[in-house]
Amino acid sequence: MTVESTAARKPRRSSGTKRAAGAANAAAKPAAATAQTQDAVPQLVQLLTPEGDRVDNAENAEFAPFVADITTEDLRGLYRDMVMTRRFDGEATALQRQGELGLWASLLGQEAAQIGSGRALNDEDYVFPTYREHGVAWCRGVDPTNLLGMFRGVNHGGWDPNTNNFHLYTIVIGSQTLHATGYAMGVAKDGADSAVIAYFGDGASSQGDVAEAFTFSAVYNSPVVFFCQNNQWAISEPTERQMRVPLYQRAQGFGFPGVRVDGNDVLACLAVTRWALDRARRGEGPTLVEAFTYRMGAHTTSDDPTKYRRDEETAAWEAKDPILRLKAHLLATGGADEAFFTELEAESEAMGKRVREAVRAMPDPDTMAIFENVYADGHALVDEERAQFAAYLASFEEGH
Amino acid sequence: MAVEKMSIAKALNESLRKALEQDPKVLIMGEDVGKLGGVFRITDGLQKDFGEERVIDTPLAESGIVGTAIGLALRGYRPVVEIQFDGFVFPAYDQIVTQLAKMHARALGKVKMPVVVRIPYAGGIGAVEHHSESPEALFAHVPGLKVVSPSNASDAYWMLQQAILSDDPVIFFEPKRRYWDKGEVDFDAIPGELHKARVTREGSDVTLAAYGPMVKVCLEAAAAAAEEGKSVEVLDLRSMSPVDFDGIQASVEKTRRLVVVHEAPVFLGVGAEVAARITERCFYHLEAPVLRVGGFHAPYPPARLEDEYLPGLDRVLDAVDRSLAY
């Protein structure tokens, strides 16, 4: 069993889930902790094997009902999301190499974790991402070009978080887990039937803020899902430099369930995240989901993974590719034909072209934007310096 | 209830009570703020009257307190968080500086951060380490934050009201050794601007500029100087970000001499900024360089030495004499 909990299960809100019947019954049953060292083969909730075969076993039994409603068309949609996200990510990486972006944090290899969890969300749920959640942003309907502004250097975020309930990217590792927790505390106060999800990585799990977020969310029973993408590397630091026990087991010490899911299996990620969100919405508090995945590329375009990891390791993970896995499943089950893949290829190319053109057309901000939005209510010093700098700039135009 | 005499602590309590009454989105959060009413009893009775959902006892985790307050603000709440003592704010410093201060700018103005961080600060109560510090310059240096400190009961009441109503994050430094000083609070008054300095005592020979706990020391120094025939003006800055340079300039153009007094270390303190700006603005008015009186570049000392460390009447008067000697 991968589910562990000592949390109280008394629902706080009476309203139920929007999920299919049976969801409530599928909530976790407390189970004895399974002794496990990190050297042991990780226990994963998996619904699709790397070969694309459906899995039906005891470990996934309580989660599988959460994707019982998924149709073949839905599967094609998930596939499309992953392909489009990978294409966007590849375009951004290329744009960085061409000097159009100052930096890029690639999600290559993590498409299933992001699309699976992202598609589990309702519109009214709120997302607190790190700086790599391009796939989740896609699921939220955020225009991908909006994500590029901060990497191009024209802003530090730049979108309205409330338009898509998708908060700004957070660069300081783990800070956003506390924002998500506070937001979730507010959701609970409002009696809203929605949940909050906080994304972070295996490296962030070492940060004090993440531990404090676990503490606060547990004691206030906040409707938040902590979705950790364990991509095995925090820049050059492997997971064994972050923890000595499997990450998902940490939740037990804080009094809420932790689940490890195959992060390269989009269906399993969808199921487990729906399950966790369902708990949150029913007033059962936080959940930690550890999506066991792999960052196929560099941490960002400024590091070189060949310096710190072995080719064999990368190759082994290539065999677990999340997109190839679903493609194999779709082909084997007749869920999609070649025409579907060909059309999708053309669609993703068109999106890549649009992103490329949009980035190159992205204007630099006005110089005086330096002084904008520093304060909501204004500030005398900012006013003074804005006026001084404007006068200084004007002095050139006047030919002084 | 128009005008009432009360301590600064009581004025702060009344101010929080009013804020809780007026806006259901206002929350009080912090360590021991609920049942105990805060270690200084500033939140006394508030949880009893407004409940645990509005006046929230938190885990002992300062980064968590500020970080979750940011999330609550994003949800539309107006959290007023209490950091128990000045030296305990540093675990939260990351959240305050990297997140709270910048969220409005990063979102291009689309989100607001109406969070007040209340910090009982500065020395003079014989406390142990980390309970007597004056870190205001560290916060005033950060764009996106506003930093204020009241020196009397009326300001304690009204400035906290204004801080809570502000859509910007405000670091609200409470002079803990003045908590029990009493003064009149006019609950029907129309308060002055939050960031305006105030002439607390008129004078013509030299200006003493201070804020928070040092205003009282400066008023006592001015009274003592008057006995020696010196006319000292006392300016309560009230706000360290922004600083009311116009107000200081007006006073200096009258007295032509300025001494800035604070408990924090002098080096790179608020006084350094005031001295630099006023020198720029008032170079031809000044009869003497702007002088500073404050703490040393040393850790705040053990309580048995704090009377030597803290600027007192004699050190302030010595600076007045030095200024007048030019």
Side-chain angles (χ1 to χ4, degrees):
Chain A
M1 278 305 277
T2 51
V3 176
E4 297 150 11
S5 174
T6 56
R9 302 204 169 275
K10 187 180 175 189
R12 192 178 51 224
R13 293 184 286 275
S14 57
S15 61
T17 174
K18 293 175 182 167
R19 296 277 161 248
N25 294 333
K29 293 175 281 292
T34 305
Q36 186 178 27
T37 70
Q38 68 184 57
D39 296 328
V41 177
Q43 291 180 287
L44 298 179
V45 175
Q46 189 183 66
L47 293 172
L48 278 181
T49 67
E51 293 74 33
D53 299 325
R54 276 297 295 259
V55 183
D56 185 16
N57 61 23
E59 277 184 18
N60 70 25
E62 56 192 320
F63 304 102
F66 283 84
V67 288
D69 61 328
I70 293 296
T71 64
T72 304
E73 188 182 348
D74 293 333
L75 286 178
R76 285 197 298 269
L78 294 169
Y79 183 82
R80 175 179 174 274
D81 288 337
M82 290 198 290
V83 167
M84 296 293 276
T85 299
R86 180 171 289 189
R87 182 66 189 84
F88 165 69
D89 185 72
E91 189 64 42
T93 301
L95 285 164
Q96 194 280 332
R97 296 302 185 214
Q98 293 162 21
E100 300 287 349
L101 300 178
L103 184 78
W104 183 245
S106 169
L107 66 35
L108 186 65
Q110 298 177 221
E111 295 86 352
Q114 296 197 13
I115 300 301
S117 60
R119 285 296 175 211
L121 300 163
N122 291 340
D123 285 349
E124 58 270 28
D125 295 336
Y126 214 99
V127 178
F128 285 84
T130 158
Y131 42 76
R132 202 191 295 280
E133 266 63 76
H134 322 311
V136 184
W138 172 268
C139 294
R140 301 304 285 176
V142 176
D143 182 341
T145 60
N146 276 353
L147 306 177
L148 300 173
M150 64 186 291
F151 294 100
R152 189 171 170 83
V154 303
N155 57 47
H156 291 309
W159 61 84
D160 181 349
N162 294 322
T163 302
N164 302 85
N165 282 10
F166 186 78
H167 189 63
L168 303 166
Y169 277 1
T170 298
I171 301 230
V172 178
I173 305 291
S175 293
Q176 75 283 358
T177 58
L178 279 170
H179 308 161
T181 300
Y183 194 94
M185 289 163 64
V187 168
K189 285 182 185 304
D190 296 342
D193 182 24
S194 59
V196 180
I197 187 165
Y199 288 86
F200 61 105
D202 41 303
S205 73
S206 299
Q207 289 278 357
D209 274 5
V210 173
E212 295 189 20
F214 288 178
T215 296
F216 274 69
S217 63
V219 301
Y220 297 121
N221 204 42
S222 305
V224 57
V225 175
F226 296 105
F227 195 91
C228 178
Q229 288 168 86
N230 178 357
N231 68 12
Q232 314 300 325
W233 292 91
I235 308 189
S236 68
E237 308 254 12
T239 50
E240 56 263 33
R241 280 284 169 188
Q242 313 296 337
M243 64 206 72
R244 295 298 298 271
V245 297
L247 207 155
Y248 73 93
Q249 289 184 0
R250 245 181 222 191
Q252 189 187 17
F254 291 88
F256 55 86
V259 185
R260 178 180 269 176
V261 60
D262 184 338
N264 286 18
D265 174 352
V266 70
L267 208 53
C269 288
L270 178 64
V272 168
T273 312
R274 278 182 168 183
W275 169 82
L277 290 165
D278 191 60
R279 289 189 76 252
R281 292 194 195 98
R282 282 188 286 114
E284 294 184 10
T287 305
L288 171 61
V289 176
E290 177 191 1
F292 203 77
T293 183
Y294 194 74
R295 187 192 83 211
M296 295 302 295
H299 166 71
T300 69
T301 45
S302 54
D303 66 310
D304 174 8
T306 64
K307 286 196 161 189
Y308 55 80
R309 68 187 188 192
R310 295 172 295 117
D311 290 346
E312 306 86 75
E313 177 187 300
T314 313
W317 278 94
E318 270 173 13
K320 302 175 187 173
D321 187 283
I323 295 182
L324 295 180
R325 180 181 308 204
L326 186 53
K327 184 174 187 178
H329 179 74
L330 285 168
L331 286 171
T333 57
D337 56 18
E338 280 304 328
F340 167 75
F341 297 109
T342 307
E343 284 170 24
L344 186 54
E345 176 73 15
E347 186 187 1
S348 68
E349 275 310 307
M351 187 267 293
K353 183 168 183 285
R354 182 174 77 81
V355 167
R356 188 159 61 245
E357 289 171 354
V359 166
R360 289 177 174 156
M362 204 178 274
D364 285 348
D366 182 82
T367 303
M368 300 311 286
I370 291 168
F371 302 99
E372 287 174 13
N373 301 309
V374 184
Y375 293 89
D377 296 342
H379 189 285
L381 181 61
V382 177
D383 294 344
E384 182 182 326
E385 292 185 350
R386 180 197 290 114
Q388 287 171 348
F389 196 56
Y392 171 74
L393 293 177
S395 71
F396 292 100
E397 292 170 11
E398 289 159 9
H400 293 298
Chain B
M1 195 184 172
V3 180
E4 199 175 320
K5 192 167 186 180
M6 64 178 64
S7 66
I8 286 179
K10 179 66 174 166
L12 292 166
N13 180 268
E14 290 291 342
S15 191
L16 292 170
R17 176 175 293 279
K18 184 182 176 189
L20 286 164
E21 282 170 355
Q22 286 194 328
D23 185 351
K25 293 295 186 184
V26 170
L27 305 172
I28 310 290
M29 300 169 65
E31 299 162 11
D32 304 308
V33 299
K35 287 199 169 56
L36 179 67
V39 292
F40 290 103
R41 309 294 186 268
I42 306 303
T43 55
D44 194 30
L46 298 179
Q47 189 184 65
K48 180 171 155 285
D49 294 342
F50 294 94
E52 294 181 5
E53 287 289 312
R54 303 281 311 279
V55 182
I56 306 163
D57 275 324
T58 66
L60 271 69
E62 283 77 11
S63 190
I65 293 169
V66 174
T68 52
I70 290 169
L72 282 157
L74 289 167
R75 182 71 192 181
Y77 286 86
R78 302 185 86 85
V80 183
V81 309
E82 177 176 301
I83 301 295
Q84 208 160 58
F85 283 93
D86 35 66
F88 302 168
V89 74
F90 294 107
Y93 195 65
D94 168 46
Q95 281 286 345
I96 292 172
V97 172
T98 69
Q99 307 298 320
L100 182 63
K102 294 178 177 172
M103 202 67 84
H104 178 68
R106 294 181 60 228
L108 302 181
K110 302 296 186 189
V111 300
K112 296 188 168 60
M113 278 290 119
V115 177
V116 177
V117 181
R118 291 182 39 242
I119 308 175
Y121 88 120
I125 63 163
V128 295
E129 195 181 15
H130 312 306
H131 288 66
S132 303
E133 296 172 15
S134 299
E136 62 271 18
L138 296 172
F139 294 92
H141 193 64
V142 179
L145 301 178
K146 291 180 174 176
V147 183
V148 300
S149 180
S151 69
N152 57 67
S154 177
D155 273 353
Y157 181 84
W158 285 111
M159 288 171 71
L160 186 52
Q161 287 292 303
Q162 292 165 314
I164 294 169
L165 288 170
S166 172
D167 282 331
D168 288 312
V170 179
I171 313 299
F172 195 90
F173 281 106
E174 299 171 1
K176 65 169 88 79
R177 69 165 142 151
R178 306 292 181 219
Y179 271 145
W180 302 280
D181 288 4
K182 288 189 174 178
E184 286 189 345
V185 179
D186 182 351
F187 292 98
D188 298 327
I190 297 168
E193 288 179 47
L194 177 59
H195 302 291
K196 280 274 184 238
R198 181 189 299 125
V199 176
T200 309
R201 178 188 172 110
E202 296 265 4
S204 56
D205 295 337
V206 58
T207 299
L208 283 176
Y211 50 85
M214 279 294 121
V215 173
K216 187 175 181 181
V217 173
C218 289
L219 285 169
E220 289 168 356
E227 292 177 10
E228 300 170 3
K230 299 163 192 161
S231 174
V232 175
E233 179 146 307
V234 178
L235 199 59
D236 183 352
L237 295 183
R238 301 170 74 247
S239 173
M240 285 77 83
S241 177
V243 172
D244 179 13
F245 292 111
D246 291 343
I248 307 171
Q249 181 174 349
S251 179
V252 170
E253 286 179 359
K254 183 171 71 171
T255 65
R256 296 177 172 254
R257 288 179 170 83
L258 176 63
V259 177
V260 191
V261 184
H262 51 57
E263 288 190 26
V266 165
F267 181 70
L268 292 175
V270 171
E273 181 61 36
V274 170
R277 295 252 170 194
I278 292 303
T279 302
E280 281 183 36
R281 284 176 174 232
C282 306
F283 188 72
Y284 293 108
H285 287 93
L286 287 167
E287 297 285 352
V290 180
L291 300 179
R292 290 166 289 158
V293 180
F296 307 113
H297 199 58
Y300 193 88
R304 295 282 177 167
L305 285 175
E306 70 178 341
D307 284 346
E308 303 300 321
Y309 175 91
L310 293 170
L313 211 56
D314 289 341
R315 277 172 60 197
V316 174
L317 287 170
D318 175 67
V320 168
D321 289 346
R322 281 189 286 130
S323 180
L324 287 167
Y326 277 91

